[in-house]
Amino acid sequence: MKTNESKCGFALVTVLVIVSALAVMLTMLTKMGSQRVFDTQRMTNKAKALAYAEAGVDFAYAIISPDFDQRNNSALFANKTSYGEGGYTLTVTAISNNYALINSVGECGGISQTAEALVEDIYADSGGSDAIDYASMDGFNYAILSGGQFGFKGSGYIAGGGGKLHSNSAININGSAQTEISVSSTVEISVGKNTIVGSISAPLLDLHKFSNITAGSTTATVPPVAIPDIDFTPYYNWALDHGEVHNGFSTTADYTPVGGILYVIGDVSISSFAKISGSIIATGNIKISGQVTVTPTIDTIALATGSGNIQNTSSKRITGLVYSNSGNYKQTANGELFGQLIIGGEIQKGGNSDIVFFQQSIPTPPGVCSVTPVKSLPVIAGWQK
């Protein structure tokens, strides 16, 4: 009898333990469920708040894009705009004649999200306050400016036309080059059996005994010359406005870009007998071959890239500024370069080509040049959220 009573007692305890455990689990599941509902609602409110913030940016942009002067009319953006579950609060700040900052704070269910957009009017009359003064940059006083090594071999000319040649690295002039330009290097100048009609200056000089420096040589410290930093943004906006932004570009035929600027995202390859009437700006490499001519129309830039390399094997003439901020330049064949050559990397010249008949080619970005620009809406130049 006692044995049965003991068994009943243990069974009761077991049932109580199980019931207690189930009660704890049910409580935990209820709390987890409630937390998930809370988290889901919070995420929903967060998404809605961001949507409201973006709606505020769209609203402000719709007001100032057709009339950029409205960026100064704070009364248009002073009140909070409400929707069923939330809304947005706007602030539009005029930074300059060219720029305005839109700040929109969206709110829903106690959650706030912020969206900002920088709006640029590239055709605003800045009075020169926002325009880049390329003419004041020392680099544009040089016919040839190289951030890396400069190497000349083969035949042909290095013709100054009043300009100068400088490298922030070593310069090696050899072959049968006819050099009519003053030369300076921050590192070293090496000259073979060549005549340089001009002076040379560098911390280290290595001159062949049959070299001839007509204006004398100076062994001295030579400071580096900064490679000018060209802002391609107005060129991109101009090309975009005229339908001339391309993803890669290759042609063997004549091409005249609408508006005078061809802007390429990627690489450029132009060959055969193509005649390009306009400026070529690329984010990648530029390759010119055959009997190609490039003649700018509304700007001084002939070929330009930010970090790409430029290879020129054309036997015809390239006119204007040839520029790469950090890439290399290589020229062979027997063509001519009239203008300026400014390269952040190395310059290598070979063949029978002529480099460079100096014609100062300071950039004149669209919107501040002598050509009357085609009006377009201000563009969103920056975005964050």
Side-chain angles (χ1 to χ4, degrees):
M1 213 37 204
K2 289 183 178 181
T3 301
N4 290 334
E5 290 177 354
S6 298
K7 288 182 179 180
C8 290
F10 281 121
L12 180 60
V13 171
T14 302
V15 170
L16 290 174
V17 169
I18 293 173
V19 170
S20 298
L22 289 173
V24 171
M25 291 178 63
L26 182 60
T27 302
M28 291 177 62
L29 288 173
T30 301
K31 289 184 177 180
M32 289 174 63
S34 299
Q35 184 64 41
R36 286 182 179 179
V37 171
F38 175 80
D39 289 343
T40 300
Q41 185 61 50
R42 181 178 176 83
M43 293 299 294
T44 300
N45 290 340
K46 186 176 181 180
K48 288 181 178 180
L50 180 58
Y52 292 145
E54 292 175 346
V57 172
D58 290 340
F59 172 78
Y61 180 69
I63 291 178
I64 67 175
S65 60
D67 184 3
F68 201 56
D69 289 338
Q70 294 300 326
R71 70 195 188 282
N72 296 306
N73 191 351
S74 58
L76 292 175
F77 316 106
N79 299 322
K80 177 180 177 180
T81 300
S82 299
Y83 293 97
E85 298 177 285
Y88 59 77
T89 302
L90 279 175
T91 303
V92 176
T93 305
I95 299 175
S96 67
N97 283 351
N98 294 80
Y99 293 97
L101 181 67
I102 300 173
N103 179 280
S104 177
V105 180
E107 187 275 331
C108 183
I111 303 296
S112 296
Q113 289 285 87
T114 300
E116 284 189 342
L118 180 66
V119 182
E120 178 186 8
D121 183 3
I122 65 172
Y123 302 120
D125 180 13
S126 64
S129 60
D130 296 304
I132 298 175
D133 185 10
Y134 291 115
S136 67
M137 297 181 180
D138 187 37
F140 287 108
N141 293 318
Y142 291 82
I144 303 172
L145 176 59
S146 176
Q149 294 185 354
F150 177 91
F152 191 108
K153 59 183 179 180
S155 55
Y157 289 91
I158 308 177
K164 302 171 288 184
L165 187 165
H166 176 83
S167 173
N168 292 330
S169 186
I171 294 176
N172 188 331
I173 299 176
N174 224 310
S176 57
Q178 300 182 51
T179 306
E180 301 175 5
I181 192 170
S182 292
V183 183
S184 63
S185 167
T186 303
V187 178
E188 177 185 6
I189 296 176
S190 175
V191 180
K193 300 177 183 180
N194 301 89
T195 295
I196 294 181
V197 182
S199 63
I200 64 172
S201 178
L204 181 63
L205 300 176
D206 181 13
L207 307 180
H208 193 279
K209 64 179 180 178
F210 293 123
S211 64
N212 180 23
I213 315 299
T214 63
S217 58
T218 303
T219 303
T221 300
V222 176
V225 178
I227 303 296
D229 189 6
I230 299 177
D231 180 9
F232 293 132
T233 302
Y235 296 96
Y236 171 81
N237 288 333
W238 181 274
L240 185 65
D241 188 51
H242 290 81
E244 289 290 356
V245 174
H246 301 258
N247 290 314
F249 185 85
S250 177
T251 186
T252 60
D254 296 353
Y255 193 81
T256 301
V258 178
I261 303 293
L262 171 66
Y263 194 100
V264 179
I265 300 173
D267 296 340
V268 173
S269 177
I270 300 175
S271 59
S272 190
F273 295 88
K275 295 180 180 179
I276 307 299
S277 299
S279 302
I280 301 173
I281 299 173
T283 62
N285 300 321
I286 300 175
K287 183 178 181 180
I288 306 295
S289 60
Q291 299 187 46
V292 172
T293 61
V294 179
T295 307
T297 53
I298 71 165
D299 193 83
T300 61
I301 291 176
L303 309 172
T305 175
S307 58
N309 300 319
I310 301 175
Q311 181 178 338
N312 177 15
T313 61
S314 172
S315 59
K316 293 293 185 178
R317 178 177 295 185
I318 308 296
T319 303
L321 174 64
V322 175
Y323 171 90
S324 177
N325 184 266
S326 59
N328 302 321
Y329 178 81
K330 184 176 182 180
Q331 179 175 331
T332 55
N334 59 347
E336 301 171 334
L337 174 57
F338 274 62
Q340 283 185 275
L341 180 61
I342 299 178
I343 302 295
E346 296 183 355
I347 297 176
Q348 296 295 326
K349 154 70 181 71
N352 190 38
S353 58
D354 297 327
I355 177 179
V356 95
F357 293 99
F358 178 51
Q359 296 174 345
Q360 194 172 40
S361 304
I362 299 172
T364 54
V368 295
C369 62
S370 59
V371 177
T372 301
V374 177
K375 182 67 177 176
S376 69
L377 298 179
V379 298
I380 293 181
W383 175 273
Q384 71 176 30
K385 58 186 178 180

